Amino acid sequence: MSIISELNKPHEWRLAPLGRLTVRMQIRERPDLEPLSVFLDEGVVPRSYRDDNHNRLGDDLSKYLVVAPGDIVFNKLRTWQGGLGVSSHTGIVSPAYFVCRPLEDVNPRFLHYLLRSSVYLQELTRISKWMPPSQFDISWDELRRLPILLPYIKLQHDIADYLDTTTTRIDSLISKKRRRLELIDERLQAQRDDWFQSLVSVHGLVSIRRWSHAIEQGWSPVCDSEPAGLGESGVIKTSAVSSGRFVAANNKRLPPETECDTRWLLHDGDLLVTRGSGSRSMVGRACVAYVGTQSLTLSDLVYRVRLTQADPEFVAAALLSSPARAQIESSIRTDVGLTLKIRRDDLAAVRVPAVPFNRHMSEVARLTDRLSPQRAAKLLIERQIELLTERKQALISALVSGEVSVPGTLP
């Protein structure tokens, strides 16, 4: 059943299918126009504005769809995550996208906010088709039937104007806090690098191969999009490792009909290293697993390094330093599908400080003491960003559903 139908709709608002409120645009043959992309955090912007789109442009841009200012663009594989938005630009997008032009009695900016509200993202996920391993594909037939909650046109304008002002202010505050996080990360990196170099100057270097007896990668079964719950098994995502600290919640639930392969069960103290990613900076990131009683397994894009005479926390800290990162990034190769990966042999060849095993824990403790104040500040700011993001989403959802009125206007 549609979540939208369960909303307490204000009596003067109406529900109409998206296909009756917009026209699907399929204009092509304009390869001269600027390519656009749809980003989860920013909506529709020129590809040239961002350096984190790793998808290659098609060979024939004449097949791309023309987008005009005010058009709503949907990345059909990412719509369920908010991969949609109103365009302020003229350009072209992949033919795999949907381009919709709102009719005169529909404000494009209101539609943008409505479709990115929490209740609509839930509904878009519900009507999308699961595409393993990690995407949902939405069809035009499903999208055009999506019921749109719509007030009269002036109220649409009022809500969109208010949200433009308020969310811009929240986004500005979030951006400032993210800049502070970048500065903290720079300080943390400088301290790791100083620690690494000081140890090398005394002990020299040794390859990871000398301290390990196996480097193994896990499996890639078809999983649900939700994380595993109590009594369920899950397969970790690369994001469980790539931050440099283990995030157990970043996993995908194994379906009940799929038997858990116990070979890949994670244990406390496992050294994990990301094997592949779409981003070079995320390949070869390391952390130590702490799973407790959870049933989590190793994924195909993560290595587990079986150590002999080395402490996993020591090796993980060394791998996060700039000298080790330089070795890793020089070994990264492009695999089929443009995924960037590091091979087992290249990871085994990475050199770290040759500190005797009996001093690993004390050196980790020394580094931890140096990093602790900055880490605490980082956690505080991350929580503040999380709260601001939740506040922004709650405000959008409340206004576009009619739950609250725009301040200064009649309900």
Side-chain angles (χ1 to χ4, degrees):
M1 178 181 291
S2 170
I3 303 170
I4 310 302
S5 63
E6 299 176 4
L7 292 175
N8 292 321
K9 179 177 69 70
H11 72 274
E12 70 274 18
W13 292 35
R14 63 187 173 113
L15 276 174
L18 180 69
R20 292 186 184 175
L21 302 174
T22 65
V23 177
R24 184 181 177 188
M25 308 300 294
Q26 300 186 73
I27 302 172
R28 305 173 194 268
E29 303 296 336
R30 289 299 307 273
D32 56 303
L33 295 179
E34 184 171 25
L36 308 175
S37 287
V38 182
F39 291 89
L40 302 185
D41 59 341
E42 200 172 359
V44 185
V45 297
R47 285 174 61 98
S48 59
Y49 284 19
R50 303 275 293 251
D51 59 5
D52 55 347
N53 186 343
H54 305 290
N55 295 323
R56 181 182 297 174
L57 283 171
D59 295 330
D60 186 2
L61 296 185
S62 66
K63 296 180 180 178
Y64 275 45
L65 302 175
V66 174
V67 176
D71 288 348
I72 304 291
V73 182
F74 298 84
N75 177 341
K76 65 177 188 172
L77 293 178
R78 305 295 295 276
T79 292
W80 64 285
Q81 293 176 304
L84 59 95
V86 60
S87 179
S88 300
H89 310 274
T90 299
I92 52 175
V93 295
S94 165
Y97 288 16
F98 298 131
V99 179
C100 298
R101 186 161 298 169
L103 300 180
E104 288 186 2
D105 61 344
V106 180
N107 183 296
R109 291 177 298 125
F110 174 85
L111 195 54
H112 168 95
Y113 285 119
L114 180 77
L115 291 170
R116 291 168 69 99
S117 65
S118 58
V119 67
Y120 268 87
L121 290 179
Q122 291 178 54
E123 180 66 5
L124 288 166
T125 300
R126 188 188 71 83
I127 65 176
S128 297
K129 179 183 177 183
W130 169 235
M131 296 284 288
S134 59
Q135 292 178 319
F136 287 87
D137 184 12
I138 192 167
S139 69
W140 173 245
D141 281 343
E142 289 287 357
L143 189 59
R144 71 182 178 84
R145 289 198 295 266
L146 178 71
I148 299 298
L149 186 62
L150 209 64
Y152 54 90
I153 187 63
K154 183 181 183 306
L155 185 52
Q156 293 178 47
H157 286 301
D158 289 343
I159 291 173
D161 288 345
Y162 181 78
L163 286 175
D164 280 349
T165 301
T166 307
T167 60
T168 296
R169 187 164 57 246
I170 295 174
D171 287 341
S172 176
L173 186 54
I174 289 174
S175 294
K176 291 177 181 177
K177 291 187 178 296
R178 283 182 174 152
R179 178 54 186 156
R180 289 181 62 190
L181 285 180
E182 291 173 2
L183 294 173
I184 290 174
D185 283 336
E186 290 173 6
R187 296 189 192 106
L188 288 169
Q189 193 61 54
Q191 290 171 329
R192 288 192 192 95
D193 295 349
D194 179 68
W195 173 80
F196 185 101
Q197 297 290 12
S198 67
L199 294 178
V200 171
S201 66
V202 175
H203 302 283
L205 291 162
V206 64
S207 68
I208 290 177
R209 180 178 289 107
R210 296 283 299 275
W211 285 348
S212 64
H213 66 85
I215 297 178
E216 55 192 18
Q217 68 191 68
W219 61 331
S220 54
V222 175
C223 293
D224 298 332
S225 59
E226 298 84 3
L230 185 64
E232 298 174 326
S233 296
V235 180
I236 61 167
K237 303 177 183 179
T238 55
S239 58
V241 179
S242 56
S243 68
R245 60 177 185 263
F246 188 68
V247 184
N250 291 349
N251 72 81
K252 295 178 292 183
R253 182 175 61 204
L254 201 62
E257 63 272 16
T258 303
E259 184 178 353
C260 181
D261 192 332
T262 57
R263 291 178 300 168
W264 311 125
L265 279 173
L266 296 179
H267 306 282
D268 288 349
D270 282 347
L271 174 61
L272 306 178
V273 181
T274 54
R275 171 179 168 250
S277 173
S279 170
R280 178 172 292 269
S281 64
M282 293 294 104
V283 179
R285 298 285 292 179
C287 74
V288 178
Y290 292 100
V291 296
T293 60
Q294 298 177 88
S295 177
L296 298 179
T297 58
L298 191 66
S299 79
D300 178 63
L301 286 175
V302 177
Y303 285 129
R304 172 164 50 193
V305 183
R306 299 284 193 178
L307 297 171
T308 51
Q309 294 295 308
D311 180 80
E313 292 283 4
F314 178 86
V315 179
L319 288 174
L320 291 173
S321 70
S322 295
R325 289 294 315 158
Q327 297 175 66
I328 289 168
E329 294 192 16
S330 68
S331 302
I332 291 174
R333 301 163 187 258
T334 303
D335 197 5
V336 176
L338 302 182
T339 300
L340 302 172
K341 293 181 179 178
I342 184 170
R343 300 186 310 173
R344 284 186 180 87
D345 287 346
D346 292 328
L347 177 58
V350 173
R351 300 195 299 167
V352 297
V355 176
F357 180 39
N358 61 3
R359 290 192 54 186
H360 284 190
M361 292 182 65
S362 62
E363 290 298 342
V364 170
R366 182 167 70 90
L367 176 63
T368 300
D369 286 344
R370 293 180 62 182
L371 300 182
S372 289
Q374 298 296 334
R375 283 176 169 170
K378 182 176 179 177
L379 287 172
L380 177 61
I381 296 173
E382 287 174 341
R383 179 55 179 159
Q384 292 171 344
I385 291 174
E386 183 181 336
L387 291 172
L388 284 168
T389 303
E390 290 174 358
R391 176 186 170 193
K392 174 183 170 181
Q393 181 57 245
L395 178 65
I396 291 172
S397 297
L399 283 167
V400 299
S401 65
E403 183 180 333
V404 300
S405 302
V406 176
T409 66
L410 295 175

